[in-house]
Amino acid sequence: MKRIYMDHAATTPVDPEVVAAMLPFFTENYGNASSMHAFGQEARQAIEQARESIALLIGAKPDEIIFTSGGTESDNFAVKGIAYARKDKGNHIITSAVEHHAVLEPCHFLEKNGFQVTVLPVDETGLVDPVDVKKAITDKTTLISIMHANNEIGTIEPVREIGAIARECGIAFHTDAVQTFGRIPVNVADLNVDLLSASGHKLYGPKGVGILYIRKGTRIVPFMHGGEQEKNRRASTYNVPGIVGMGKAAELAGEHMEREAARLTSLRDRMIRGILDGIDHSRLNGHPVLRLPNNVNVSLEYVEGESMLLSLDMEGIACSTGSACSSQSLEPSHVLRAIGLPHEIAHGSLRFSMGRVTSDDDVDTVLTVLPRIVDRLRAMSPLYGKKH
Ligand SMILES: *Cc1c(COP(=O)(O)O)cnc(C)c1O
């Protein structure tokens, strides 16, 4: 059985060229990049080259890039680091209901520690309205954090407009670009951002490495203490292989992005059409156009997401669900709730996220297998039986 991986929003395979670039830094060039000898300096050079590749991809200056342990750390660093750096100016933060937990949880933490947080709603396609952002601003607002694209439903937010509002008001603006970095154009000047998070493993790089872009002149309170790395802003011995891998992944993303985004967009739209036309009582979640090229998120009524996911898995197809019937809370994902899906529809949601390995044939297979699984599960569903 050919296995089909449609969960690239969760993680991606490491590109063999990335692995090849990383390998020497485990065994030959293993120096500590902070050491003055040749071993250390070789590692140092490789790090600076990676920093340049990443800066180039997002239109930043190399010294505005800080290496971290991943998207989660970058989000935490941005939110807490800015909140504390601007504590004397105010204590109010604005974010949205569809952010990744790596942004929402630090915001909740700050709320318990004397900060105020406004969590903006989104419309039924997942969009934050820049007008709402403007209305939420007070003279105490120091930080706005709105993601570039949502990891579950793929909606691309109006970051550029929100950034312009933040700038006009002198408020720091952070965006979580983990899902867009290397997939669609991300340019820190175009997007009007002061801080931007990205992760290596979502773009064919290794796990455990990420970056935070910090616009020159933006004061931030460090999160990690204990060393002078990254100009005293992020202590800990450099993860040289990881950083080199993320740099190489950024280079490759730059080369592939345009062609790959166009290819995936057409696969995506064919798959969405195929599901909506081929399966009754199905709907698309997220925005139809302002959408990540690789994201398909659908709800299929009268079936549980987890039952479909497990049935698909048995046929070698890997995807994910925002349903959580077996989890403790029984609550569907916060994103599906934020776009206003009734529980029974949210519980039948599936996310397929495509990538470089995804082919036309893979889409055909899903379009053949999924309707069969849905039919079988619906036939067993008392809910469906009653209505049909
Ligand atoms: C995956 C993801 C993260 C977390 O990144 P890690 O590198 O896995 O810590 C943060 N935000 C978004 C939108 C993501 O998709």
CSV table of all heavy atoms in Angstrom, one decimal, residues 271-285 296-309 311-312 319-323 336 341-352 366-367 369-375 377-378 381 383-384 388:
chain,number,residue,atom,x,y,z
A,271,MET,N,-9.2,19.2,-5.1
A,271,MET,CA,-9.6,18.4,-4.0
A,271,MET,C,-10.8,18.9,-3.3
A,271,MET,O,-11.7,18.2,-3.0
A,271,MET,CB,-8.4,18.3,-3.0
A,271,MET,CG,-8.7,17.3,-1.9
A,271,MET,SD,-7.1,16.6,-1.4
A,271,MET,CE,-7.5,16.2,0.3
A,272,ILE,N,-10.8,20.2,-3.1
A,272,ILE,CA,-12.0,20.9,-2.5
A,272,ILE,C,-13.2,20.6,-3.3
A,272,ILE,O,-14.3,20.2,-2.8
A,272,ILE,CB,-11.8,22.4,-2.2
A,272,ILE,CG1,-10.7,22.6,-1.2
A,272,ILE,CG2,-13.1,23.1,-1.8
A,272,ILE,CD1,-10.3,24.1,-1.0
A,273,ARG,N,-13.1,20.9,-4.6
A,273,ARG,CA,-14.3,20.7,-5.5
A,273,ARG,C,-14.7,19.2,-5.5
A,273,ARG,O,-15.9,18.9,-5.3
A,273,ARG,CB,-13.9,21.0,-6.9
A,273,ARG,CG,-14.2,22.2,-7.6
A,273,ARG,CD,-15.6,22.7,-7.9
A,273,ARG,NE,-16.7,22.5,-6.9
A,273,ARG,CZ,-17.1,23.5,-6.0
A,273,ARG,NH1,-16.5,24.6,-6.0
A,273,ARG,NH2,-18.1,23.2,-5.2
A,274,GLY,N,-13.8,18.3,-5.5
A,274,GLY,CA,-14.1,16.9,-5.6
A,274,GLY,C,-14.8,16.5,-4.3
A,274,GLY,O,-15.7,15.7,-4.4
A,275,ILE,N,-14.4,17.0,-3.1
A,275,ILE,CA,-15.1,16.6,-1.9
A,275,ILE,C,-16.5,17.2,-1.8
A,275,ILE,O,-17.5,16.5,-1.5
A,275,ILE,CB,-14.2,17.0,-0.7
A,275,ILE,CG1,-12.9,16.2,-0.6
A,275,ILE,CG2,-15.0,16.8,0.6
A,275,ILE,CD1,-11.9,16.6,0.4
A,276,LEU,N,-16.6,18.5,-2.1
A,276,LEU,CA,-17.9,19.2,-2.0
A,276,LEU,C,-18.9,18.6,-3.0
A,276,LEU,O,-20.0,18.5,-2.7
A,276,LEU,CB,-17.7,20.7,-2.2
A,276,LEU,CG,-16.8,21.4,-1.1
A,276,LEU,CD1,-16.9,22.9,-1.3
A,276,LEU,CD2,-17.2,21.1,0.3
A,277,ASP,N,-18.4,18.3,-4.2
A,277,ASP,CA,-19.3,17.8,-5.2
A,277,ASP,C,-19.6,16.3,-5.0
A,277,ASP,O,-20.7,15.8,-5.3
A,277,ASP,CB,-18.7,17.9,-6.7
A,277,ASP,CG,-18.7,19.4,-7.1
A,277,ASP,OD1,-19.3,20.2,-6.4
A,277,ASP,OD2,-18.0,19.7,-8.1
A,278,GLY,N,-18.6,15.6,-4.4
A,278,GLY,CA,-18.8,14.1,-4.3
A,278,GLY,C,-19.4,13.6,-3.1
A,278,GLY,O,-19.8,12.5,-3.0
A,279,ILE,N,-19.5,14.5,-2.0
A,279,ILE,CA,-20.0,14.0,-0.8
A,279,ILE,C,-21.1,15.0,-0.3
A,279,ILE,O,-20.9,16.2,-0.2
A,279,ILE,CB,-18.9,13.9,0.3
A,279,ILE,CG1,-17.8,13.1,-0.2
A,279,ILE,CG2,-19.5,13.4,1.7
A,279,ILE,CD1,-16.6,13.0,0.8
A,280,ASP,N,-22.3,14.4,-0.1
A,280,ASP,CA,-23.4,15.2,0.4
A,280,ASP,C,-23.1,15.8,1.8
A,280,ASP,O,-22.4,15.2,2.6
A,280,ASP,CB,-24.7,14.4,0.6
A,280,ASP,CG,-25.3,14.0,-0.8
A,280,ASP,OD1,-24.9,14.7,-1.8
A,280,ASP,OD2,-26.1,13.1,-0.8
A,281,HIS,N,-23.8,16.9,2.1
A,281,HIS,CA,-23.6,17.5,3.5
A,281,HIS,C,-22.2,17.7,3.8
A,281,HIS,O,-21.7,17.3,4.9
A,281,HIS,CB,-24.3,16.6,4.6
A,281,HIS,CG,-25.7,16.2,4.2
A,281,HIS,ND1,-26.7,17.1,4.3
A,281,HIS,CD2,-26.2,15.1,3.8
A,281,HIS,CE1,-27.8,16.5,4.0
A,281,HIS,NE2,-27.6,15.3,3.6
A,282,SER,N,-21.4,18.3,2.9
A,282,SER,CA,-20.0,18.6,3.2
A,282,SER,C,-19.9,20.1,3.0
A,282,SER,O,-20.6,20.8,2.2
A,282,SER,CB,-19.1,17.9,2.2
A,282,SER,OG,-19.4,18.2,0.9
A,283,ARG,N,-19.0,20.7,3.8
A,283,ARG,CA,-18.7,22.2,3.6
A,283,ARG,C,-17.2,22.5,3.8
A,283,ARG,O,-16.5,21.7,4.4
A,283,ARG,CB,-19.5,23.0,4.5
A,283,ARG,CG,-19.4,22.6,6.0
A,283,ARG,CD,-19.8,23.8,6.9
A,283,ARG,NE,-18.8,24.8,7.0
A,283,ARG,CZ,-19.0,26.1,7.4
A,283,ARG,NH1,-20.2,26.5,7.7
A,283,ARG,NH2,-18.0,26.9,7.4
A,284,LEU,N,-16.8,23.5,3.2
A,284,LEU,CA,-15.4,24.0,3.3
A,284,LEU,C,-15.3,24.9,4.5
A,284,LEU,O,-16.1,25.8,4.7
A,284,LEU,CB,-15.0,24.8,2.0
A,284,LEU,CG,-13.6,25.3,2.0
A,284,LEU,CD1,-12.5,24.2,2.0
A,284,LEU,CD2,-13.4,26.3,0.9
A,285,ASN,N,-14.2,24.7,5.3
A,285,ASN,CA,-13.9,25.6,6.4
A,285,ASN,C,-12.8,26.5,6.0
A,285,ASN,O,-11.8,26.0,5.4
A,285,ASN,CB,-13.6,24.8,7.7
A,285,ASN,CG,-14.7,23.9,8.2
A,285,ASN,OD1,-15.9,24.4,8.2
A,285,ASN,ND2,-14.4,22.7,8.6
A,296,VAL,N,-6.6,22.0,2.9
A,296,VAL,CA,-8.0,21.7,2.6
A,296,VAL,C,-8.6,21.3,3.9
A,296,VAL,O,-8.2,20.4,4.6
A,296,VAL,CB,-8.1,20.4,1.6
A,296,VAL,CG1,-9.5,20.0,1.5
A,296,VAL,CG2,-7.5,20.8,0.3
A,297,ASN,N,-9.6,22.1,4.4
A,297,ASN,CA,-10.3,21.7,5.7
A,297,ASN,C,-11.8,21.7,5.4
A,297,ASN,O,-12.4,22.6,5.0
A,297,ASN,CB,-10.0,22.8,6.7
A,297,ASN,CG,-10.5,22.4,8.1
A,297,ASN,OD1,-11.6,21.9,8.2
A,297,ASN,ND2,-9.6,22.5,9.1
A,298,VAL,N,-12.3,20.5,5.6
A,298,VAL,CA,-13.8,20.3,5.3
A,298,VAL,C,-14.5,19.7,6.5
A,298,VAL,O,-13.9,19.0,7.4
A,298,VAL,CB,-13.9,19.4,4.1
A,298,VAL,CG1,-13.5,20.0,2.8
A,298,VAL,CG2,-13.2,18.1,4.3
A,299,SER,N,-15.8,20.0,6.6
A,299,SER,CA,-16.6,19.3,7.6
A,299,SER,C,-17.6,18.4,6.8
A,299,SER,O,-18.2,18.8,5.8
A,299,SER,CB,-17.4,20.3,8.4
A,299,SER,OG,-16.6,20.8,9.4
A,300,LEU,N,-17.8,17.2,7.3
A,300,LEU,CA,-18.7,16.2,6.7
A,300,LEU,C,-19.7,15.8,7.8
A,300,LEU,O,-19.3,15.3,8.8
A,300,LEU,CB,-17.9,15.0,6.3
A,300,LEU,CG,-16.8,15.4,5.3
A,300,LEU,CD1,-15.6,14.5,5.3
A,300,LEU,CD2,-17.3,15.6,3.9
A,301,GLU,N,-20.9,16.3,7.6
A,301,GLU,CA,-21.9,16.1,8.7
A,301,GLU,C,-22.2,14.6,8.9
A,301,GLU,O,-22.1,13.8,8.0
A,301,GLU,CB,-23.2,16.8,8.3
A,301,GLU,CG,-23.1,18.3,8.6
A,301,GLU,CD,-24.4,19.0,8.2
A,301,GLU,OE1,-25.3,18.8,9.0
A,301,GLU,OE2,-24.5,19.7,7.2
A,302,TYR,N,-22.7,14.3,10.1
A,302,TYR,CA,-23.1,13.0,10.5
A,302,TYR,C,-22.0,12.0,10.6
A,302,TYR,O,-22.2,10.8,10.6
A,302,TYR,CB,-24.2,12.4,9.6
A,302,TYR,CG,-25.3,13.4,9.3
A,302,TYR,CD1,-25.4,14.0,8.1
A,302,TYR,CD2,-26.2,13.8,10.3
A,302,TYR,CE1,-26.4,14.9,7.8
A,302,TYR,CE2,-27.2,14.7,10.1
A,302,TYR,CZ,-27.3,15.3,8.8
A,302,TYR,OH,-28.3,16.2,8.6
A,303,VAL,N,-20.7,12.4,10.6
A,303,VAL,CA,-19.6,11.5,10.9
A,303,VAL,C,-18.6,12.2,11.8
A,303,VAL,O,-18.5,13.4,11.8
A,303,VAL,CB,-18.8,11.2,9.6
A,303,VAL,CG1,-19.0,9.7,9.2
A,303,VAL,CG2,-19.1,12.1,8.4
A,304,GLU,N,-17.9,11.4,12.6
A,304,GLU,CA,-17.0,12.0,13.5
A,304,GLU,C,-15.6,12.1,12.8
A,304,GLU,O,-15.2,11.1,12.2
A,304,GLU,CB,-16.8,11.1,14.7
A,304,GLU,CG,-17.8,11.5,15.8
A,304,GLU,CD,-17.7,10.6,17.0
A,304,GLU,OE1,-16.7,10.0,17.1
A,304,GLU,OE2,-18.7,10.6,17.8
A,305,GLY,N,-14.9,13.2,13.0
A,305,GLY,CA,-13.6,13.4,12.4
A,305,GLY,C,-12.6,12.3,12.8
A,305,GLY,O,-11.9,11.8,11.9
A,306,GLU,N,-12.7,11.9,14.1
A,306,GLU,CA,-11.7,10.9,14.5
A,306,GLU,C,-12.0,9.5,13.8
A,306,GLU,O,-11.0,8.8,13.5
A,306,GLU,CB,-11.7,10.7,16.0
A,306,GLU,CG,-11.1,12.0,16.6
A,306,GLU,CD,-10.8,12.0,18.0
A,306,GLU,OE1,-11.2,10.9,18.7
A,306,GLU,OE2,-10.3,12.9,18.6
A,307,SER,N,-13.3,9.2,13.6
A,307,SER,CA,-13.6,7.9,12.9
A,307,SER,C,-13.0,7.9,11.5
A,307,SER,O,-12.5,7.0,11.0
A,307,SER,CB,-15.1,7.6,12.9
A,307,SER,OG,-15.6,7.9,14.2
A,308,MET,N,-13.3,9.1,10.9
A,308,MET,CA,-12.8,9.2,9.5
A,308,MET,C,-11.2,9.1,9.4
A,308,MET,O,-10.7,8.5,8.6
A,308,MET,CB,-13.2,10.5,8.9
A,308,MET,CG,-14.7,10.6,8.5
A,308,MET,SD,-15.1,12.1,7.6
A,308,MET,CE,-15.2,13.3,8.9
A,309,LEU,N,-10.6,9.9,10.4
A,309,LEU,CA,-9.2,9.9,10.4
A,309,LEU,C,-8.6,8.5,10.6
A,309,LEU,O,-7.7,8.1,9.8
A,309,LEU,CB,-8.7,10.8,11.6
A,309,LEU,CG,-7.2,11.0,11.7
A,309,LEU,CD1,-6.9,12.4,12.2
A,309,LEU,CD2,-6.5,10.0,12.6
A,311,SER,N,-10.1,5.6,9.9
A,311,SER,CA,-10.4,4.8,8.7
A,311,SER,C,-9.4,5.2,7.5
A,311,SER,O,-8.9,4.3,6.8
A,311,SER,CB,-11.8,5.0,8.2
A,311,SER,OG,-12.7,4.7,9.2
A,312,LEU,N,-9.2,6.5,7.4
A,312,LEU,CA,-8.2,6.9,6.3
A,312,LEU,C,-6.8,6.4,6.6
A,312,LEU,O,-6.1,5.9,5.7
A,312,LEU,CB,-8.2,8.4,6.2
A,312,LEU,CG,-9.4,9.1,5.6
A,312,LEU,CD1,-9.4,10.6,5.9
A,312,LEU,CD2,-9.3,8.9,4.1
A,319,CYS,N,-4.1,12.4,7.8
A,319,CYS,CA,-4.5,13.8,7.8
A,319,CYS,C,-4.8,14.1,9.3
A,319,CYS,O,-4.3,13.4,10.2
A,319,CYS,CB,-5.8,13.9,7.0
A,319,CYS,SG,-7.2,13.0,7.6
A,320,SER,N,-5.5,15.2,9.6
A,320,SER,CA,-5.8,15.5,10.9
A,320,SER,C,-7.2,16.0,11.1
A,320,SER,O,-7.9,16.3,10.1
A,320,SER,CB,-4.7,16.5,11.5
A,320,SER,OG,-5.2,17.8,11.2
A,321,THR,N,-7.6,16.1,12.4
A,321,THR,CA,-9.0,16.6,12.6
A,321,THR,C,-9.1,17.6,13.7
A,321,THR,O,-8.2,17.6,14.6
A,321,THR,CB,-9.9,15.4,13.0
A,321,THR,OG1,-11.2,15.9,13.4
A,321,THR,CG2,-9.4,14.6,14.1
A,322,GLY,N,-10.0,18.5,13.6
A,322,GLY,CA,-10.2,19.5,14.7
A,322,GLY,C,-11.3,19.0,15.7
A,322,GLY,O,-11.6,19.7,16.6
A,323,SER,N,-11.8,17.8,15.4
A,323,SER,CA,-12.7,17.2,16.3
A,323,SER,C,-11.9,16.6,17.5
A,323,SER,O,-10.7,16.3,17.4
A,323,SER,CB,-13.5,16.1,15.6
A,323,SER,OG,-13.8,15.0,16.5
A,336,LEU,N,-12.2,26.1,15.1
A,336,LEU,CA,-13.6,25.8,14.5
A,336,LEU,C,-14.7,26.4,15.3
A,336,LEU,O,-15.7,26.8,14.8
A,336,LEU,CB,-13.7,24.2,14.5
A,336,LEU,CG,-12.7,23.5,13.6
A,336,LEU,CD1,-13.0,22.0,13.6
A,336,LEU,CD2,-12.7,24.0,12.1
A,341,LEU,N,-18.8,27.3,14.0
A,341,LEU,CA,-19.4,26.0,13.5
A,341,LEU,C,-20.1,25.4,14.7
A,341,LEU,O,-19.6,25.3,15.8
A,341,LEU,CB,-18.2,25.0,13.1
A,341,LEU,CG,-17.5,25.2,11.8
A,341,LEU,CD1,-16.8,23.9,11.5
A,341,LEU,CD2,-18.5,25.5,10.7
A,342,PRO,N,-21.4,24.9,14.4
A,342,PRO,CA,-22.1,24.1,15.5
A,342,PRO,C,-21.3,22.9,15.8
A,342,PRO,O,-20.6,22.4,14.9
A,342,PRO,CB,-23.4,23.8,14.8
A,342,PRO,CG,-23.5,24.6,13.5
A,342,PRO,CD,-22.1,25.0,13.2
A,343,HIS,N,-21.4,22.4,17.0
A,343,HIS,CA,-20.6,21.3,17.5
A,343,HIS,C,-20.7,20.1,16.5
A,343,HIS,O,-19.6,19.5,16.2
A,343,HIS,CB,-21.1,20.8,18.8
A,343,HIS,CG,-20.4,21.5,19.9
A,343,HIS,ND1,-19.8,20.9,21.0
A,343,HIS,CD2,-20.1,22.9,20.1
A,343,HIS,CE1,-19.2,21.8,21.8
A,343,HIS,NE2,-19.4,23.0,21.2
A,344,GLU,N,-21.9,19.7,16.1
A,344,GLU,CA,-22.0,18.5,15.3
A,344,GLU,C,-21.2,18.6,13.9
A,344,GLU,O,-20.8,17.6,13.4
A,344,GLU,CB,-23.5,18.1,15.1
A,344,GLU,CG,-24.3,19.1,14.3
A,344,GLU,CD,-24.9,20.2,15.2
A,344,GLU,OE1,-24.4,20.5,16.3
A,344,GLU,OE2,-25.9,20.9,14.7
A,345,ILE,N,-21.1,19.8,13.4
A,345,ILE,CA,-20.4,20.0,12.2
A,345,ILE,C,-18.9,20.1,12.5
A,345,ILE,O,-18.1,19.5,11.7
A,345,ILE,CB,-20.9,21.3,11.5
A,345,ILE,CG1,-22.4,21.1,11.1
A,345,ILE,CG2,-20.1,21.5,10.2
A,345,ILE,CD1,-23.0,22.2,10.3
A,346,ALA,N,-18.5,20.8,13.6
A,346,ALA,CA,-17.1,20.9,13.9
A,346,ALA,C,-16.5,19.5,14.2
A,346,ALA,O,-15.4,19.2,13.8
A,346,ALA,CB,-16.9,21.7,15.1
A,347,HIS,N,-17.3,18.6,14.7
A,347,HIS,CA,-16.8,17.3,15.1
A,347,HIS,C,-16.6,16.4,13.8
A,347,HIS,O,-15.9,15.4,13.9
A,347,HIS,CB,-17.8,16.5,16.0
A,347,HIS,CG,-17.6,17.0,17.4
A,347,HIS,ND1,-16.3,16.9,18.0
A,347,HIS,CD2,-18.4,17.5,18.4
A,347,HIS,CE1,-16.4,17.3,19.3
A,347,HIS,NE2,-17.6,17.7,19.5
A,348,GLY,N,-17.1,16.8,12.7
A,348,GLY,CA,-16.9,16.0,11.5
A,348,GLY,C,-15.9,16.7,10.6
A,348,GLY,O,-16.0,16.6,9.4
A,349,SER,N,-14.9,17.4,11.2
A,349,SER,CA,-13.9,18.1,10.3
A,349,SER,C,-12.6,17.3,10.1
A,349,SER,O,-12.2,16.5,10.9
A,349,SER,CB,-13.6,19.5,11.0
A,349,SER,OG,-12.6,19.2,12.0
A,350,LEU,N,-12.1,17.5,8.9
A,350,LEU,CA,-10.8,16.9,8.5
A,350,LEU,C,-9.9,18.0,7.9
A,350,LEU,O,-10.4,18.8,7.1
A,350,LEU,CB,-11.0,15.8,7.5
A,350,LEU,CG,-11.6,14.5,8.0
A,350,LEU,CD1,-11.7,13.6,6.7
A,350,LEU,CD2,-10.8,13.8,9.0
A,351,ARG,N,-8.6,18.0,8.2
A,351,ARG,CA,-7.7,18.8,7.6
A,351,ARG,C,-6.7,18.0,6.8
A,351,ARG,O,-6.1,17.1,7.3
A,351,ARG,CB,-6.9,19.7,8.6
A,351,ARG,CG,-5.9,20.6,7.9
A,351,ARG,CD,-4.9,21.2,8.9
A,351,ARG,NE,-4.0,20.3,9.5
A,351,ARG,CZ,-3.2,20.5,10.5
A,351,ARG,NH1,-3.2,21.8,11.0
A,351,ARG,NH2,-2.4,19.6,11.0
A,352,PHE,N,-6.6,18.3,5.5
A,352,PHE,CA,-5.6,17.7,4.6
A,352,PHE,C,-4.6,18.8,4.3
A,352,PHE,O,-5.1,19.8,3.8
A,352,PHE,CB,-6.2,17.2,3.3
A,352,PHE,CG,-7.3,16.1,3.5
A,352,PHE,CD1,-8.6,16.4,3.6
A,352,PHE,CD2,-6.9,14.7,3.6
A,352,PHE,CE1,-9.6,15.4,3.8
A,352,PHE,CE2,-7.8,13.7,3.8
A,352,PHE,CZ,-9.2,14.0,3.9
A,366,VAL,N,-7.5,10.1,-2.5
A,366,VAL,CA,-8.3,10.6,-1.5
A,366,VAL,C,-9.8,10.8,-1.9
A,366,VAL,O,-10.7,10.4,-1.2
A,366,VAL,CB,-7.8,12.0,-0.9
A,366,VAL,CG1,-8.7,12.6,0.1
A,366,VAL,CG2,-6.4,11.8,-0.3
A,367,LEU,N,-9.9,11.3,-3.2
A,367,LEU,CA,-11.3,11.5,-3.7
A,367,LEU,C,-12.0,10.2,-4.0
A,367,LEU,O,-13.2,10.2,-4.1
A,367,LEU,CB,-11.2,12.4,-5.0
A,367,LEU,CG,-10.8,13.8,-4.7
A,367,LEU,CD1,-10.7,14.6,-6.0
A,367,LEU,CD2,-11.7,14.6,-3.8
A,369,VAL,N,-11.3,7.3,-2.0
A,369,VAL,CA,-11.4,6.6,-0.7
A,369,VAL,C,-12.3,7.3,0.3
A,369,VAL,O,-13.1,6.7,1.0
A,369,VAL,CB,-10.0,6.4,0.0
A,369,VAL,CG1,-10.1,5.9,1.4
A,369,VAL,CG2,-9.1,5.5,-0.9
A,370,LEU,N,-12.2,8.6,0.4
A,370,LEU,CA,-13.0,9.4,1.4
A,370,LEU,C,-14.5,9.2,1.3
A,370,LEU,O,-15.2,8.9,2.3
A,370,LEU,CB,-12.6,10.9,1.4
A,370,LEU,CG,-13.3,11.7,2.4
A,370,LEU,CD1,-12.9,11.3,3.8
A,370,LEU,CD2,-12.9,13.2,2.2
A,371,PRO,N,-15.1,9.3,0.1
A,371,PRO,CA,-16.6,9.1,0.0
A,371,PRO,C,-17.0,7.8,0.4
A,371,PRO,O,-18.0,7.6,1.1
A,371,PRO,CB,-16.9,9.3,-1.5
A,371,PRO,CG,-15.7,10.1,-2.0
A,371,PRO,CD,-14.5,9.7,-1.2
A,372,ARG,N,-16.2,6.7,0.1
A,372,ARG,CA,-16.5,5.4,0.5
A,372,ARG,C,-16.6,5.3,2.1
A,372,ARG,O,-17.5,4.7,2.6
A,372,ARG,CB,-15.5,4.4,-0.1
A,372,ARG,CG,-15.9,3.0,-0.3
A,372,ARG,CD,-14.8,2.2,-1.0
A,372,ARG,NE,-13.7,2.0,-0.2
A,372,ARG,CZ,-12.4,2.1,-0.6
A,372,ARG,NH1,-12.1,2.4,-1.9
A,372,ARG,NH2,-11.4,1.9,0.2
A,373,ILE,N,-15.5,5.9,2.7
A,373,ILE,CA,-15.5,5.8,4.2
A,373,ILE,C,-16.6,6.6,4.8
A,373,ILE,O,-17.3,6.1,5.7
A,373,ILE,CB,-14.1,6.4,4.6
A,373,ILE,CG1,-13.0,5.5,4.3
A,373,ILE,CG2,-14.1,6.8,6.1
A,373,ILE,CD1,-11.6,6.0,4.6
A,374,VAL,N,-16.9,7.7,4.2
A,374,VAL,CA,-18.0,8.6,4.8
A,374,VAL,C,-19.4,7.8,4.6
A,374,VAL,O,-20.1,7.7,5.6
A,374,VAL,CB,-18.1,9.9,4.1
A,374,VAL,CG1,-19.4,10.7,4.5
A,374,VAL,CG2,-16.9,10.8,4.4
A,375,ASP,N,-19.6,7.2,3.5
A,375,ASP,CA,-20.8,6.4,3.3
A,375,ASP,C,-20.9,5.3,4.3
A,375,ASP,O,-22.0,5.1,4.9
A,375,ASP,CB,-20.8,5.7,1.9
A,375,ASP,CG,-21.3,6.6,0.8
A,375,ASP,OD1,-21.8,7.7,1.2
A,375,ASP,OD2,-21.1,6.3,-0.4
A,377,LEU,N,-19.5,5.0,7.3
A,377,LEU,CA,-19.7,5.5,8.6
A,377,LEU,C,-21.1,6.1,8.8
A,377,LEU,O,-21.7,5.9,9.9
A,377,LEU,CB,-18.6,6.6,9.0
A,377,LEU,CG,-17.2,6.1,9.1
A,377,LEU,CD1,-16.2,7.2,9.2
A,377,LEU,CD2,-17.0,5.1,10.3
A,378,ARG,N,-21.6,6.7,7.8
A,378,ARG,CA,-22.9,7.3,7.9
A,378,ARG,C,-24.0,6.2,8.0
A,378,ARG,O,-25.0,6.3,8.7
A,378,ARG,CB,-23.2,8.2,6.7
A,378,ARG,CG,-22.6,9.6,6.8
A,378,ARG,CD,-23.0,10.5,5.7
A,378,ARG,NE,-22.4,11.8,5.8
A,378,ARG,CZ,-22.3,12.7,4.9
A,378,ARG,NH1,-22.7,12.4,3.7
A,378,ARG,NH2,-21.8,13.9,5.1
A,381,SER,N,-24.5,5.4,11.4
A,381,SER,CA,-24.8,6.5,12.3
A,381,SER,C,-26.3,6.6,12.5
A,381,SER,O,-27.0,6.8,11.5
A,381,SER,CB,-24.2,7.8,11.7
A,381,SER,OG,-25.0,8.9,12.2
A,383,LEU,N,-27.8,9.1,13.8
A,383,LEU,CA,-28.2,10.4,13.5
A,383,LEU,C,-28.6,10.6,12.0
A,383,LEU,O,-29.6,11.2,11.6
A,383,LEU,CB,-27.0,11.4,13.7
A,383,LEU,CG,-27.1,12.2,15.0
A,383,LEU,CD1,-25.9,13.0,15.2
A,383,LEU,CD2,-28.4,13.1,15.0
A,384,TYR,N,-27.7,10.0,11.1
A,384,TYR,CA,-27.8,10.1,9.7
A,384,TYR,C,-29.1,9.2,9.3
A,384,TYR,O,-29.9,9.7,8.5
A,384,TYR,CB,-26.6,9.5,9.0
A,384,TYR,CG,-26.6,9.8,7.5
A,384,TYR,CD1,-26.5,11.1,7.0
A,384,TYR,CD2,-26.7,8.7,6.6
A,384,TYR,CE1,-26.5,11.3,5.6
A,384,TYR,CE2,-26.7,9.0,5.2
A,384,TYR,CZ,-26.6,10.3,4.8
A,384,TYR,OH,-26.6,10.5,3.4
A,388,HIS,N,-32.4,10.4,6.8
A,388,HIS,CA,-32.4,10.0,5.4
A,388,HIS,C,-33.1,8.7,5.2
A,388,HIS,O,-33.1,7.9,6.0
A,388,HIS,CB,-30.9,10.0,5.0
A,388,HIS,CG,-30.3,11.3,5.1
A,388,HIS,ND1,-30.2,12.2,4.0
A,388,HIS,CD2,-29.7,11.9,6.1
A,388,HIS,CE1,-29.7,13.3,4.5
A,388,HIS,NE2,-29.3,13.2,5.7
